[in-house]
Amino acid sequence: MAGQKIQRQTGVALWRQIADRIRTSINHGDFDETGMVPPETMLALQFGVNRHTIRSALAALAQEGIVRAVQGRGTLIERKERLSFPISKRTRFSQGIGDQVRETRSVLLATGEEAASVELARQLKIRTGAPLVRLETLGQADHRPVSRATSWFPADRFGDIAEIYRITGSITKAFKELGVPDYVRVVTEITATHADESDLADLQLSPGAIVLVAQALNADLDNVPVQYSISRFAADRVRFTVEN
Amino acid sequence: MAGQKIQRQTGVALWRQIADRIRTSINHGDFDETGMVPPETMLALQFGVNRHTIRSALAALAQEGIVRAVQGRGTLIERKERLSFPISKRTRFSQGIGDQVRETRSVLLATGEEAASVELARQLKIRTGAPLVRLETLGQADHRPVSRATSWFPADRFGDIAEIYRITGSITKAFKELGVPDYVRVVTEITATHADESDLADLQLSPGAIVLVAQALNADLDNVPVQYSISRFAADRVRFTVEN
DNA sequence: TTTAAATGTCTATTGATATAGACAACCATA
DNA sequence: TATGGTTGTCTATATCAATAGACATTTAAA
Protein backbone atom coordinates (compact mmCIF):
# COMPACT_ATOMS: atom_id res chain seq x y z
CA MET A 1 0.00 0.00 0.00
CA ALA A 2 2.50 2.58 1.16
CA GLY A 3 4.51 2.62 -1.98
CA GLN A 4 4.34 6.37 -2.35
CA LYS A 5 5.84 8.81 0.05
CA ILE A 6 3.89 11.35 2.03
CA GLN A 7 4.59 14.97 1.21
CA ARG A 8 5.36 17.59 3.80
CA GLN A 9 4.74 21.32 3.78
CA THR A 10 2.31 21.18 0.92
CA GLY A 11 -0.60 22.84 2.67
CA VAL A 12 -2.22 19.45 3.09
CA ALA A 13 -1.79 18.01 6.57
CA LEU A 14 -0.07 14.65 6.84
CA TRP A 15 -3.01 13.10 8.69
CA ARG A 16 -5.32 14.04 5.82
CA GLN A 17 -3.02 12.65 3.14
CA ILE A 18 -2.69 9.44 5.12
CA ALA A 19 -6.44 9.22 5.71
CA ASP A 20 -7.02 9.56 1.97
CA ARG A 21 -4.47 6.88 1.20
CA ILE A 22 -5.87 4.43 3.73
CA ARG A 23 -9.39 5.06 2.43
CA THR A 24 -8.18 4.25 -1.07
CA SER A 25 -6.47 1.10 0.11
CA ILE A 26 -9.64 -0.03 1.86
CA ASN A 27 -11.71 0.58 -1.27
CA HIS A 28 -9.08 -1.27 -3.28
CA GLY A 29 -9.55 -4.28 -1.03
CA ASP A 30 -6.01 -4.34 0.32
CA PHE A 31 -7.15 -5.38 3.81
CA ASP A 32 -9.93 -7.75 2.85
CA GLU A 33 -8.14 -10.79 4.30
CA THR A 34 -8.28 -9.53 7.85
CA GLY A 35 -11.07 -6.99 7.56
CA MET A 36 -8.88 -4.75 9.64
CA VAL A 37 -6.48 -1.88 9.09
CA PRO A 38 -2.88 -2.66 10.10
CA PRO A 39 -1.93 -1.67 13.68
CA GLU A 40 -1.20 1.99 14.31
CA THR A 41 2.43 1.31 15.08
CA MET A 42 2.91 -0.53 11.81
CA LEU A 43 1.20 2.22 9.80
CA ALA A 44 3.36 4.79 11.55
CA LEU A 45 6.41 2.85 10.46
CA GLN A 46 5.16 2.43 6.89
CA PHE A 47 4.28 6.08 6.38
CA GLY A 48 7.28 7.31 8.34
CA VAL A 49 5.27 9.43 10.76
CA ASN A 50 4.44 9.45 14.43
CA ARG A 51 1.76 7.15 15.75
CA HIS A 52 -0.30 10.15 16.84
CA THR A 53 -0.44 11.33 13.24
CA ILE A 54 -1.79 7.93 12.22
CA ARG A 55 -4.35 8.21 14.99
CA SER A 56 -5.53 11.55 13.58
CA ALA A 57 -5.95 9.95 10.16
CA LEU A 58 -7.87 6.98 11.56
CA ALA A 59 -10.02 9.30 13.65
CA ALA A 60 -11.03 11.11 10.46
CA LEU A 61 -11.93 7.81 8.79
CA ALA A 62 -13.88 6.75 11.88
CA GLN A 63 -15.76 10.05 11.65
CA GLU A 64 -16.73 9.08 8.09
CA GLY A 65 -17.92 5.72 9.36
CA ILE A 66 -15.35 3.83 7.29
CA VAL A 67 -13.45 2.27 10.20
CA ARG A 68 -14.17 1.59 13.87
CA ALA A 69 -11.39 1.27 16.42
CA VAL A 70 -11.74 -1.34 19.15
CA GLN A 71 -9.37 -1.07 22.06
CA GLY A 72 -7.24 -4.16 22.44
CA ARG A 73 -8.26 -5.65 19.10
CA GLY A 74 -7.53 -3.23 16.32
CA THR A 75 -9.25 -0.97 13.81
CA LEU A 76 -12.04 -2.70 11.92
CA ILE A 77 -13.23 -1.81 8.44
CA GLU A 78 -16.90 -0.88 8.60
CA ARG A 79 -17.68 0.06 5.04
CA LYS A 80 -16.11 0.22 1.62
CA GLU A 81 -17.68 1.11 -1.64
CA ARG A 82 -16.97 2.46 -5.04
CA LEU A 83 -19.93 2.25 -7.37
CA SER A 84 -19.31 1.85 -11.07
CA PHE A 85 -21.33 4.42 -12.94
CA PRO A 86 -21.80 3.74 -16.66
CA ILE A 87 -21.97 6.64 -19.08
CA SER A 88 -23.61 5.92 -22.38
CA LYS A 89 -26.39 7.06 -24.66
CA ARG A 90 -28.85 5.77 -22.10
CA THR A 91 -27.29 7.04 -18.92
CA ARG A 92 -29.72 7.16 -16.02
CA PHE A 93 -28.93 7.32 -12.36
CA SER A 94 -30.83 4.37 -10.98
CA GLN A 95 -30.54 1.89 -13.83
CA GLY A 96 -26.78 1.98 -14.11
CA ILE A 97 -25.99 1.14 -10.53
CA GLY A 98 -29.13 -0.79 -9.79
CA ASP A 99 -27.37 -4.13 -9.83
CA GLN A 100 -24.65 -2.97 -7.48
CA VAL A 101 -26.79 -1.92 -4.56
CA ARG A 102 -30.01 -3.00 -2.93
CA GLU A 103 -31.83 0.31 -3.21
CA THR A 104 -31.41 3.50 -5.20
CA ARG A 105 -33.33 6.59 -4.44
CA SER A 106 -33.45 10.15 -5.67
CA VAL A 107 -34.53 12.97 -3.37
CA LEU A 108 -35.66 16.43 -4.37
CA LEU A 109 -33.67 18.99 -2.42
CA ALA A 110 -34.95 22.18 -3.96
CA THR A 111 -36.65 23.54 -7.06
CA GLY A 112 -37.25 26.89 -8.69
CA GLU A 113 -37.68 28.89 -11.86
CA GLU A 114 -34.99 30.96 -13.46
CA ALA A 115 -34.10 32.66 -16.72
CA ALA A 116 -31.63 30.90 -19.00
CA SER A 117 -28.09 32.22 -18.75
CA VAL A 118 -26.02 32.57 -21.90
CA GLU A 119 -24.32 29.26 -21.20
CA LEU A 120 -27.52 27.36 -20.39
CA ALA A 121 -29.25 28.81 -23.44
CA ARG A 122 -26.38 27.68 -25.66
CA GLN A 123 -26.49 24.17 -24.27
CA LEU A 124 -30.27 23.77 -24.41
CA LYS A 125 -30.51 25.57 -27.76
CA ILE A 126 -33.07 28.10 -26.56
CA ARG A 127 -32.96 31.89 -26.35
CA THR A 128 -31.12 33.59 -23.52
CA GLY A 129 -33.53 34.55 -20.77
CA ALA A 130 -36.06 31.86 -21.63
CA PRO A 131 -37.76 30.44 -18.52
CA LEU A 132 -36.20 27.29 -17.05
CA VAL A 133 -37.20 24.92 -14.28
CA ARG A 134 -34.34 24.13 -11.94
CA LEU A 135 -34.24 20.87 -9.96
CA GLU A 136 -31.71 20.10 -7.28
CA THR A 137 -31.62 16.43 -6.42
CA LEU A 138 -29.68 14.04 -4.26
CA GLY A 139 -28.96 10.53 -5.52
CA GLN A 140 -28.69 7.81 -2.89
CA ALA A 141 -27.58 4.19 -3.01
CA ASP A 142 -28.52 2.06 -0.04
CA HIS A 143 -29.35 5.21 1.93
CA ARG A 144 -25.90 6.68 1.36
CA PRO A 145 -25.59 9.86 -0.71
CA VAL A 146 -23.70 9.36 -3.96
CA SER A 147 -24.35 12.43 -6.06
CA ARG A 148 -25.96 15.84 -5.95
CA ALA A 149 -27.23 17.27 -9.18
CA THR A 150 -28.67 20.51 -10.48
CA SER A 151 -30.77 20.12 -13.62
CA TRP A 152 -32.40 22.66 -15.88
CA PHE A 153 -35.40 22.02 -18.14
CA PRO A 154 -37.11 24.36 -20.61
CA ALA A 155 -40.15 25.61 -18.71
CA ASP A 156 -42.41 25.76 -21.75
CA ARG A 157 -42.31 21.99 -22.19
CA PHE A 158 -41.59 20.86 -18.63
CA GLY A 159 -43.16 23.46 -16.38
CA ASP A 160 -44.66 20.83 -14.08
CA ILE A 161 -41.67 18.51 -13.93
CA ALA A 162 -40.78 19.42 -10.35
CA GLU A 163 -44.15 18.31 -9.03
CA ILE A 164 -44.14 15.06 -10.98
CA TYR A 165 -40.58 14.32 -9.96
CA ARG A 166 -41.46 14.96 -6.35
CA ILE A 167 -44.10 12.23 -6.57
CA THR A 168 -42.33 9.67 -8.76
CA GLY A 169 -38.73 10.29 -7.71
CA SER A 170 -37.64 9.64 -11.28
CA ILE A 171 -36.67 11.95 -14.11
CA THR A 172 -37.40 9.22 -16.62
CA LYS A 173 -40.97 8.79 -15.37
CA ALA A 174 -41.50 12.56 -15.20
CA PHE A 175 -40.39 12.86 -18.81
CA LYS A 176 -42.83 10.13 -19.84
CA GLU A 177 -45.72 11.93 -18.19
CA LEU A 178 -44.78 15.08 -20.07
CA GLY A 179 -44.70 13.45 -23.47
CA VAL A 180 -41.05 12.42 -23.73
CA PRO A 181 -41.13 8.62 -23.94
CA ASP A 182 -37.37 8.31 -24.25
CA TYR A 183 -34.24 10.44 -24.18
CA VAL A 184 -30.52 10.02 -24.82
CA ARG A 185 -27.32 11.44 -23.50
CA VAL A 186 -25.78 13.82 -26.03
CA VAL A 187 -22.57 14.71 -24.28
CA THR A 188 -20.97 14.40 -20.85
CA GLU A 189 -18.12 16.53 -19.61
CA ILE A 190 -16.13 15.27 -16.66
CA THR A 191 -13.86 17.26 -14.38
CA ALA A 192 -12.62 16.89 -10.83
CA THR A 193 -12.26 19.41 -8.04
CA HIS A 194 -12.17 19.69 -4.29
CA ALA A 195 -15.45 19.37 -2.45
CA ASP A 196 -17.09 22.65 -1.52
CA GLU A 197 -19.16 23.35 1.56
CA SER A 198 -22.41 22.13 0.01
CA ASP A 199 -20.77 18.93 -1.19
CA LEU A 200 -19.56 18.23 2.32
CA ALA A 201 -23.03 18.63 3.75
CA ASP A 202 -25.10 16.89 1.07
CA LEU A 203 -22.70 14.07 0.27
CA GLN A 204 -21.51 13.61 3.85
CA LEU A 205 -17.88 14.02 2.83
CA SER A 206 -14.84 14.81 4.87
CA PRO A 207 -13.21 18.16 4.18
CA GLY A 208 -10.57 18.04 1.47
CA ALA A 209 -12.37 15.26 -0.34
CA ILE A 210 -12.56 15.12 -4.12
CA VAL A 211 -15.70 15.36 -6.21
CA LEU A 212 -16.13 14.24 -9.80
CA VAL A 213 -18.20 16.78 -11.71
CA ALA A 214 -20.24 15.59 -14.68
CA GLN A 215 -21.96 18.15 -16.90
CA ALA A 216 -24.45 16.39 -19.11
CA LEU A 217 -26.89 17.22 -21.87
CA ASN A 218 -29.88 15.00 -22.59
CA ALA A 219 -32.06 15.24 -25.70
CA ASP A 220 -35.30 13.65 -26.82
CA LEU A 221 -35.49 11.31 -29.80
CA ASP A 222 -35.83 14.29 -32.16
CA ASN A 223 -32.48 15.47 -30.82
CA VAL A 224 -34.09 18.45 -29.09
CA PRO A 225 -32.33 19.21 -25.78
CA VAL A 226 -34.57 18.48 -22.81
CA GLN A 227 -32.25 18.59 -19.81
CA TYR A 228 -28.91 20.06 -18.87
CA SER A 229 -27.46 18.95 -15.57
CA ILE A 230 -24.39 19.37 -13.41
CA SER A 231 -23.84 16.42 -11.08
CA ARG A 232 -21.27 16.17 -8.35
CA PHE A 233 -20.17 12.70 -7.19
CA ALA A 234 -18.10 11.71 -4.18
CA ALA A 235 -14.94 10.60 -5.99
CA ASP A 236 -14.13 7.87 -3.51
CA ARG A 237 -17.53 6.28 -3.95
CA VAL A 238 -17.90 6.13 -7.71
CA ARG A 239 -16.09 5.28 -10.89
CA PHE A 240 -17.28 6.39 -14.31
CA THR A 241 -17.33 3.80 -17.04
CA VAL A 242 -17.54 4.89 -20.65
CA GLU A 243 -18.66 2.12 -22.97
CA ASN A 244 -18.15 2.59 -26.67
CA MET B 1 -15.91 33.90 -7.55
CA ALA B 2 -15.89 33.54 -3.80
CA GLY B 3 -19.36 32.16 -3.56
CA GLN B 4 -18.31 29.24 -1.42
CA LYS B 5 -16.76 29.58 1.99
CA ILE B 6 -13.40 28.10 2.73
CA GLN B 7 -13.14 25.55 5.48
CA ARG B 8 -10.97 25.70 8.53
CA GLN B 9 -9.40 22.88 10.51
CA THR B 10 -9.89 20.34 7.76
CA GLY B 11 -6.28 19.31 7.35
CA VAL B 12 -6.07 21.42 4.22
CA ALA B 13 -4.36 24.75 4.77
CA LEU B 14 -6.36 27.87 3.91
CA TRP B 15 -3.70 29.12 1.51
CA ARG B 16 -3.92 25.88 -0.46
CA GLN B 17 -7.72 25.96 -0.64
CA ILE B 18 -7.59 29.56 -1.80
CA ALA B 19 -4.86 28.83 -4.34
CA ASP B 20 -7.00 26.04 -5.79
CA ARG B 21 -10.02 28.30 -6.00
CA ILE B 22 -8.14 31.15 -7.65
CA ARG B 23 -6.62 28.71 -10.14
CA THR B 24 -10.08 27.47 -10.99
CA SER B 25 -11.37 31.02 -11.41
CA ILE B 26 -8.49 31.84 -13.73
CA ASN B 27 -9.15 28.77 -15.84
CA HIS B 28 -12.82 29.67 -15.88
CA GLY B 29 -11.94 33.04 -17.37
CA ASP B 30 -13.26 35.13 -14.48
CA PHE B 31 -10.43 37.67 -14.75
CA ASP B 32 -10.08 37.79 -18.51
CA GLU B 33 -11.20 41.44 -18.71
CA THR B 34 -8.22 42.74 -16.80
CA GLY B 35 -5.81 39.84 -17.22
CA MET B 36 -5.04 40.31 -13.56
CA VAL B 37 -6.04 38.75 -10.28
CA PRO B 38 -7.89 41.15 -7.94
CA PRO B 39 -5.68 43.02 -5.42
CA GLU B 40 -4.55 41.07 -2.40
CA THR B 41 -6.55 43.25 -0.02
CA MET B 42 -9.72 42.63 -1.98
CA LEU B 43 -9.14 38.86 -2.11
CA ALA B 44 -8.47 38.88 1.63
CA LEU B 45 -11.82 40.58 2.13
CA GLN B 46 -13.65 38.20 -0.22
CA PHE B 47 -12.24 35.03 1.33
CA GLY B 48 -12.41 36.39 4.85
CA VAL B 49 -8.75 35.78 5.62
CA ASN B 50 -5.68 37.81 6.32
CA ARG B 51 -3.80 39.36 3.44
CA HIS B 52 -0.74 37.26 4.30
CA THR B 53 -2.77 34.11 3.73
CA ILE B 54 -3.72 35.40 0.28
CA ARG B 55 -0.05 36.09 -0.37
CA SER B 56 0.79 32.47 0.48
CA ALA B 57 -1.81 31.29 -2.01
CA LEU B 58 -0.58 33.61 -4.75
CA ALA B 59 3.01 32.58 -4.05
CA ALA B 60 2.01 28.97 -4.68
CA LEU B 61 0.35 29.93 -7.98
CA ALA B 62 3.42 31.95 -8.95
CA GLN B 63 5.51 28.87 -8.23
CA GLU B 64 3.32 26.98 -10.73
CA GLY B 65 3.89 29.73 -13.27
CA ILE B 66 0.21 30.64 -13.38
CA VAL B 67 0.53 34.20 -12.07
CA ARG B 68 3.31 36.74 -11.73
CA ALA B 69 3.22 39.50 -9.14
CA VAL B 70 4.53 42.94 -10.14
CA GLN B 71 5.13 45.37 -7.35
CA GLY B 72 3.09 48.52 -7.73
CA ARG B 73 0.88 47.11 -10.48
CA GLY B 74 -0.76 43.91 -9.40
CA THR B 75 -0.68 40.16 -10.00
CA LEU B 76 -0.77 39.24 -13.68
CA ILE B 77 -2.17 36.03 -15.10
CA GLU B 78 0.60 34.25 -16.99
CA ARG B 79 -1.10 31.09 -18.13
CA LYS B 80 -4.45 29.39 -18.06
CA GLU B 81 -5.42 26.16 -19.63
CA ARG B 82 -7.89 23.41 -19.41
CA LEU B 83 -7.79 21.20 -22.44
CA SER B 84 -10.95 19.44 -23.51
CA PHE B 85 -10.18 15.79 -24.03
CA PRO B 86 -12.77 13.89 -26.07
CA ILE B 87 -13.44 10.26 -25.24
CA SER B 88 -15.02 8.24 -28.00
CA LYS B 89 -14.53 5.13 -30.08
CA ARG B 90 -11.61 6.83 -31.74
CA THR B 91 -9.90 8.35 -28.75
CA ARG B 92 -6.27 9.25 -29.41
CA PHE B 93 -4.12 11.61 -27.47
CA SER B 94 -2.89 13.99 -30.13
CA GLN B 95 -5.90 14.13 -32.43
CA GLY B 96 -8.40 15.11 -29.79
CA ILE B 97 -6.62 18.16 -28.51
CA GLY B 98 -4.75 18.99 -31.69
CA ASP B 99 -6.94 21.97 -32.48
CA GLN B 100 -6.60 23.43 -29.01
CA VAL B 101 -2.83 23.75 -28.86
CA ARG B 102 -0.02 24.47 -31.28
CA GLU B 103 1.98 21.31 -30.64
CA THR B 104 1.32 17.94 -29.06
CA ARG B 105 4.07 15.54 -28.29
CA SER B 106 4.42 12.20 -26.60
CA VAL B 107 7.62 11.20 -24.86
CA LEU B 108 8.73 7.72 -23.90
CA LEU B 109 9.71 7.68 -20.25
CA ALA B 110 10.40 4.00 -19.74
CA THR B 111 9.70 0.60 -21.20
CA GLY B 112 9.98 -3.01 -20.15
CA GLU B 113 8.63 -6.52 -20.35
CA GLU B 114 6.48 -8.13 -17.69
CA ALA B 115 4.15 -11.06 -17.16
CA ALA B 116 0.43 -10.38 -17.28
CA SER B 117 -1.18 -10.02 -13.87
CA VAL B 118 -4.59 -11.53 -13.27
CA GLU B 119 -6.23 -8.15 -13.83
CA LEU B 120 -4.27 -7.32 -16.98
CA ALA B 121 -4.89 -10.80 -18.38
CA ARG B 122 -8.62 -10.39 -17.80
CA GLN B 123 -8.70 -7.02 -19.56
CA LEU B 124 -6.57 -8.06 -22.53
CA LYS B 125 -8.24 -11.47 -22.75
CA ILE B 126 -5.00 -13.41 -22.62
CA ARG B 127 -3.72 -15.99 -20.16
CA THR B 128 -2.27 -14.92 -16.83
CA GLY B 129 1.50 -14.70 -17.00
CA ALA B 130 1.60 -14.12 -20.75
CA PRO B 131 4.41 -11.73 -21.75
CA LEU B 132 3.49 -8.06 -22.05
CA VAL B 133 5.33 -4.98 -23.25
CA ARG B 134 4.97 -2.04 -20.89
CA LEU B 135 5.28 1.55 -22.11
CA GLU B 136 5.37 4.56 -19.85
CA THR B 137 4.76 7.77 -21.73
CA LEU B 138 4.31 11.45 -21.07
CA GLY B 139 1.84 13.45 -23.13
CA GLN B 140 2.66 17.11 -23.70
CA ALA B 141 0.72 20.00 -25.19
CA ASP B 142 2.74 23.03 -26.13
CA HIS B 143 5.65 21.73 -24.11
CA ARG B 144 3.57 21.45 -20.95
CA PRO B 145 2.95 17.97 -19.50
CA VAL B 146 -0.69 16.96 -19.59
CA SER B 147 -0.80 13.25 -18.89
CA ARG B 148 1.37 10.34 -17.92
CA ALA B 149 0.33 6.91 -19.05
CA THR B 150 1.33 3.31 -18.54
CA SER B 151 0.27 1.00 -21.38
CA TRP B 152 0.48 -2.76 -21.76
CA PHE B 153 0.54 -4.63 -25.07
CA PRO B 154 0.58 -8.40 -25.71
CA ALA B 155 4.23 -9.14 -26.46
CA ASP B 156 3.51 -11.83 -29.03
CA ARG B 157 1.94 -9.33 -31.42
CA PHE B 158 3.66 -6.12 -30.35
CA GLY B 159 7.09 -7.13 -29.10
CA ASP B 160 8.79 -4.30 -30.97
CA ILE B 161 6.31 -1.56 -30.22
CA ALA B 162 8.60 0.24 -27.79
CA GLU B 163 11.29 0.78 -30.41
CA ILE B 164 8.84 1.94 -33.06
CA TYR B 165 7.11 4.24 -30.61
CA ARG B 166 10.43 5.70 -29.60
CA ILE B 167 11.03 6.69 -33.21
CA THR B 168 7.56 7.79 -34.27
CA GLY B 169 6.26 9.12 -30.97
CA SER B 170 2.83 7.78 -31.84
CA ILE B 171 0.96 4.70 -30.73
CA THR B 172 -1.26 4.91 -33.78
CA LYS B 173 1.74 4.83 -36.14
CA ALA B 174 3.38 2.03 -34.18
CA PHE B 175 0.20 -0.03 -34.45
CA LYS B 176 0.12 0.55 -38.20
CA GLU B 177 3.68 -0.70 -38.61
CA LEU B 178 2.76 -3.81 -36.65
CA GLY B 179 -0.24 -4.69 -38.78
CA VAL B 180 -3.03 -2.92 -36.90
CA PRO B 181 -4.35 -0.32 -39.35
CA ASP B 182 -7.00 0.92 -36.97
CA TYR B 183 -8.20 0.44 -33.42
CA VAL B 184 -11.11 1.54 -31.25
CA ARG B 185 -11.71 2.38 -27.64
CA VAL B 186 -13.71 -0.40 -25.99
CA VAL B 187 -14.16 1.05 -22.54
CA THR B 188 -12.82 3.89 -20.40
CA GLU B 189 -13.02 4.04 -16.63
CA ILE B 190 -12.57 7.40 -14.97
CA THR B 191 -11.72 8.08 -11.36
CA ALA B 192 -10.07 10.93 -9.48
CA THR B 193 -7.51 10.95 -6.71
CA HIS B 194 -4.81 13.09 -5.19
CA ALA B 195 -1.55 13.36 -7.07
CA ASP B 196 1.18 11.03 -5.88
CA GLU B 197 4.88 11.76 -5.87
CA SER B 198 5.43 10.61 -9.46
CA ASP B 199 2.52 12.72 -10.68
CA LEU B 200 4.03 15.77 -9.03
CA ALA B 201 7.34 15.22 -10.77
CA ASP B 202 6.17 14.16 -14.22
CA LEU B 203 3.20 16.49 -14.54
CA GLN B 204 4.85 19.40 -12.74
CA LEU B 205 2.00 19.67 -10.26
CA SER B 206 1.79 21.37 -6.93
CA PRO B 207 1.37 19.06 -3.94
CA GLY B 208 -2.25 18.37 -3.06
CA ALA B 209 -3.30 18.64 -6.69
CA ILE B 210 -5.91 16.35 -8.21
CA VAL B 211 -5.36 13.85 -11.02
CA LEU B 212 -8.01 12.33 -13.24
CA VAL B 213 -7.26 8.66 -13.81
CA ALA B 214 -8.49 7.04 -17.02
CA GLN B 215 -8.17 3.28 -17.44
CA ALA B 216 -8.77 2.39 -21.07
CA LEU B 217 -8.96 -0.68 -23.23
CA ASN B 218 -8.33 -0.49 -26.98
CA ALA B 219 -9.10 -3.27 -29.44
CA ASP B 220 -8.41 -3.85 -33.12
CA LEU B 221 -11.17 -4.02 -35.71
CA ASP B 222 -11.70 -7.72 -34.96
CA ASN B 223 -12.43 -6.68 -31.39
CA VAL B 224 -9.24 -8.31 -30.10
CA PRO B 225 -7.72 -6.28 -27.25
CA VAL B 226 -4.44 -4.66 -28.26
CA GLN B 227 -3.73 -2.15 -25.49
CA TYR B 228 -4.66 -1.56 -21.89
CA SER B 229 -3.56 1.73 -20.40
CA ILE B 230 -3.79 3.74 -17.21
CA SER B 231 -3.42 7.47 -17.83
CA ARG B 232 -3.16 10.16 -15.21
CA PHE B 233 -4.14 13.72 -16.16
CA ALA B 234 -3.62 16.95 -14.25
CA ALA B 235 -7.21 17.67 -13.29
CA ASP B 236 -6.85 21.44 -13.54
CA ARG B 237 -5.55 21.20 -17.10
CA VAL B 238 -8.04 18.88 -18.73
CA ARG B 239 -11.71 18.14 -19.05
CA PHE B 240 -13.04 14.86 -20.41
CA THR B 241 -15.79 15.05 -22.98
CA VAL B 242 -17.88 12.00 -23.71
CA GLU B 243 -19.71 12.26 -26.99
CA ASN B 244 -22.51 9.81 -27.65
C1' DT C 1 -4.17 -16.20 34.91
C1' DT C 2 -0.49 -14.26 32.74
C1' DT C 3 1.30 -12.07 28.72
C1' DA C 4 1.64 -9.81 24.34
C1' DA C 5 -0.46 -6.75 21.36
C1' DA C 6 -3.46 -3.44 20.40
C1' DT C 7 -5.97 1.14 21.24
C1' DG C 8 -6.75 5.23 24.61
C1' DT C 9 -5.02 9.20 27.16
C1' DC C 10 -1.96 12.47 28.94
C1' DT C 11 2.09 15.92 28.97
C1' DA C 12 5.62 18.47 26.62
C1' DT C 13 8.00 20.51 22.66
C1' DT C 14 8.77 22.08 17.93
C1' DG C 15 7.51 23.81 13.48
C1' DA C 16 3.87 25.23 10.20
C1' DT C 17 -0.23 28.00 9.66
C1' DA C 18 -2.88 32.20 10.28
C1' DT C 19 -3.78 36.75 12.13
C1' DA C 20 -2.55 41.60 13.06
C1' DG C 21 -0.27 45.78 12.25
C1' DA C 22 3.17 48.84 10.39
C1' DC C 23 5.84 50.57 6.87
C1' DA C 24 8.83 50.37 2.63
C1' DA C 25 9.10 50.06 -2.43
C1' DC C 26 7.17 50.53 -6.72
C1' DC C 27 3.92 51.85 -10.57
C1' DA C 28 0.51 54.50 -13.13
C1' DT C 29 -1.56 58.67 -13.63
C1' DA C 30 -3.62 63.02 -12.55
C1' DT D 1 5.91 65.59 -9.25
C1' DA D 2 2.67 64.42 -5.98
C1' DT D 3 -0.76 60.90 -4.91
C1' DG D 4 -3.32 56.64 -4.49
C1' DG D 5 -3.12 51.99 -5.13
C1' DT D 6 -0.47 48.04 -5.27
C1' DT D 7 3.05 44.45 -3.86
C1' DG D 8 7.16 43.48 -0.60
C1' DT D 9 9.03 42.96 4.02
C1' DC D 10 9.32 42.96 8.84
C1' DT D 11 7.79 41.93 13.83
C1' DA D 12 4.71 39.79 17.06
C1' DT D 13 1.27 36.53 18.62
C1' DA D 14 -2.03 32.65 18.73
C1' DT D 15 -3.51 28.25 17.05
C1' DC D 16 -2.97 23.95 14.51
C1' DA D 17 -0.03 20.05 13.10
C1' DA D 18 3.47 16.79 14.20
C1' DT D 19 6.80 14.55 17.11
C1' DA D 20 8.24 12.25 21.38
C1' DG D 21 7.58 9.61 25.37
C1' DA D 22 5.11 7.47 29.12
C1' DC D 23 1.55 4.84 30.84
C1' DA D 24 -3.36 3.10 31.20
C1' DT D 25 -6.92 0.08 29.34
C1' DT D 26 -8.76 -3.60 26.75
C1' DT D 27 -8.65 -7.92 24.09
C1' DA D 28 -7.08 -12.38 22.60
C1' DA D 29 -4.23 -16.00 23.12
C1' DA D 30 -0.69 -18.62 25.47
Side-chain angles (χ1 to χ4, degrees), chain A:
Chain A
M1 164 182 70
Q4 313 145 13
K5 242 186 238 165
I6 293 288
Q7 296 136 24
R8 290 165 191 262
Q9 298 175 23
T10 64
V12 182
L14 296 184
W15 63 264
R16 171 140 300 287
Q17 295 182 52
I18 292 170
D20 292 340
R21 293 262 295 272
I22 294 176
R23 193 198 296 104
T24 302
S25 287
I26 290 173
N27 284 333
H28 196 256
D30 290 357
F31 313 128
D32 282 2
E33 287 188 18
T34 59
M36 296 174 68
V37 167
E40 294 169 353
T41 48
M42 188 178 302
L43 289 172
L45 201 66
Q46 283 183 8
F47 285 107
V49 300
N50 193 274
R51 179 178 155 231
H52 293 294
T53 307
I54 298 290
R55 284 180 61 74
S56 296
L58 291 177
L61 294 179
Q63 185 65 29
E64 296 179 44
I66 292 177
V67 300
R68 177 170 53 91
V70 179
Q71 191 170 3
R73 290 183 60 192
T75 303
L76 285 59
I77 294 169
E78 289 279 274
R79 170 172 64 76
K80 51 169 253 195
E81 49 187 346
R82 180 161 233 164
L83 297 172
S84 191
F85 203 94
I87 295 179
S88 70
K89 264 197 160 42
R90 301 191 49 79
T91 297
R92 283 121 177 82
F93 176 77
S94 58
Q95 288 186 357
I97 56 176
D99 55 343
Q100 299 172 60
V101 294
R102 291 184 299 276
E103 184 195 6
T104 61
R105 207 153 63 102
S106 200
V107 179
L108 188 61
L109 295 179
T111 180
E113 287 237 354
E114 65 183 59
S117 66
V118 174
E119 171 65 8
L120 284 174
R122 189 177 66 79
Q123 294 283 357
L124 289 168
K125 289 183 184 165
I126 55 177
R127 62 174 175 77
T128 304
L132 297 177
V133 179
R134 190 187 73 252
L135 253 64
E136 294 180 23
T137 58
L138 184 68
Q140 296 178 317
D142 286 343
H143 301 281
R144 285 195 54 79
V146 171
S147 69
R148 52 188 291 258
T150 304
S151 295
W152 291 268
F153 308 84
D156 55 351
R157 291 183 72 186
F158 308 109
D160 297 327
I161 197 164
E163 192 50 40
I164 303 176
Y165 178 83
R166 195 193 308 276
I167 297 168
T168 61
S170 159
I171 296 279
T172 306
K173 287 178 185 169
F175 270 142
K176 272 196 184 126
E177 293 244 0
L178 292 168
V180 179
D182 199 5
Y183 61 102
V184 295
R185 177 68 56 96
V186 178
V187 65
T188 310
E189 286 194 349
I190 299 166
T191 57
T193 182
H194 287 106
D196 65 27
E197 208 180 31
S198 305
D199 296 326
L200 298 184
D202 291 342
L203 299 177
Q204 296 174 18
L205 291 175
S206 64
I210 298 174
V211 289
L212 277 162
V213 183
Q215 303 182 45
L217 180 67
N218 285 331
D220 63 19
L221 297 186
D222 297 327
N223 212 27
V224 178
V226 293
Q227 173 187 17
Y228 183 74
S229 64
I230 300 177
S231 304
R232 303 170 71 88
F233 296 77
D236 64 333
R237 290 180 204 155
V238 304
R239 168 207 338 265
F240 290 152
T241 306
V242 184
E243 308 266 4
N244 291 120

Side-chain angles (χ1 to χ4, degrees), chain B residues 167-216:
Chain B
I167 297 167
T168 61
S170 159
I171 296 281
T172 305
K173 287 179 186 167
F175 270 142
K176 273 199 183 121
E177 293 242 2
L178 292 168
V180 179
D182 199 4
Y183 61 102
V184 294
R185 178 68 58 95
V186 177
V187 64
T188 310
E189 286 195 348
I190 300 166
T191 57
T193 183
H194 287 106
D196 64 29
E197 208 180 31
S198 306
D199 295 326
L200 298 185
D202 291 343
L203 299 177
Q204 296 174 18
L205 292 174
S206 63
I210 299 174
V211 290
L212 277 162
V213 183
Q215 303 182 49

Side-chain angles (χ1 to χ4, degrees), chain B residues 90-116:
Chain B
R90 301 192 48 79
T91 296
R92 283 119 178 84
F93 177 77
S94 57
Q95 287 186 359
I97 56 175
D99 55 343
Q100 299 172 61
V101 293
R102 290 184 298 277
E103 182 195 7
T104 62
R105 206 153 64 100
S106 199
V107 179
L108 187 61
L109 295 179
T111 181
E113 286 237 352
E114 66 182 58

Side-chain angles (χ1 to χ4, degrees), chain B residues 25 28-29 37 48 51 75 111 124 127 136 154 178 184 195 221 240:
Chain B
S25 288
H28 196 254
V37 168
R51 181 181 153 227
T75 303
T111 181
L124 289 168
R127 63 175 174 78
E136 293 179 26
L178 292 168
V184 294
L221 297 186
F240 290 153

